[in-house]
């Protein structure tokens, strides 16, 4: 199916070593359009330190008001 340019998404690193912290902010919400056209610079952000691998989950972001 792919991303919907009209929807919002959160990207989260999911294979973090114990006691490590991801350099990707989990508070950032991206539009599908942004992710499809610009994306996230994985090489600059994640692969500098020890050439480690990184795995991400892209989840549809919805706001719920109570």
């Amino acid at each position: 199916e792919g991303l919907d340019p009209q929807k919002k998404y959160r990207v989260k690193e999911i294979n973090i070593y114990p006691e490590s912290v991801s350099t990707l902010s989990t508070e950032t919400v991206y539009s599908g359009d942004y992710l499809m056209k610009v994306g996230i610079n994985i090489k600059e952000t994640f692969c500098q330190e020890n050439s480690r691998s990184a795995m991400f989950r892209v989840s549809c972001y919805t706001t719920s008001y109570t």
Side-chain angles (χ1 to χ4, degrees):
E1 288 183 24
L3 299 173
D4 183 333
Q6 303 301 315
K7 290 186 179 181
K8 303 291 183 190
Y9 296 90
R10 279 212 169 129
V11 180
K12 179 179 181 181
E13 187 175 6
I14 59 173
N15 67 329
I16 302 171
Y17 290 109
E19 300 181 20
S20 295
V21 177
S22 176
T23 57
L24 181 68
S25 170
T26 58
E27 298 302 315
T28 304
V29 177
Y30 302 93
S31 71
D33 185 59
Y34 178 88
L35 289 172
M36 290 189 294
K37 292 180 179 174
V38 178
I40 298 171
N41 191 343
I42 302 301
K43 184 177 179 183
E44 292 295 321
T45 306
F46 299 95
C47 297
Q48 294 283 336
E49 186 179 313
N50 299 324
S51 298
R52 68 184 181 92
S53 64
M55 185 181 300
F56 303 91
R57 176 183 297 131
V58 179
S59 304
C60 191
Y61 174 77
T62 57
T63 56
S64 59
Y65 299 100
T66 55

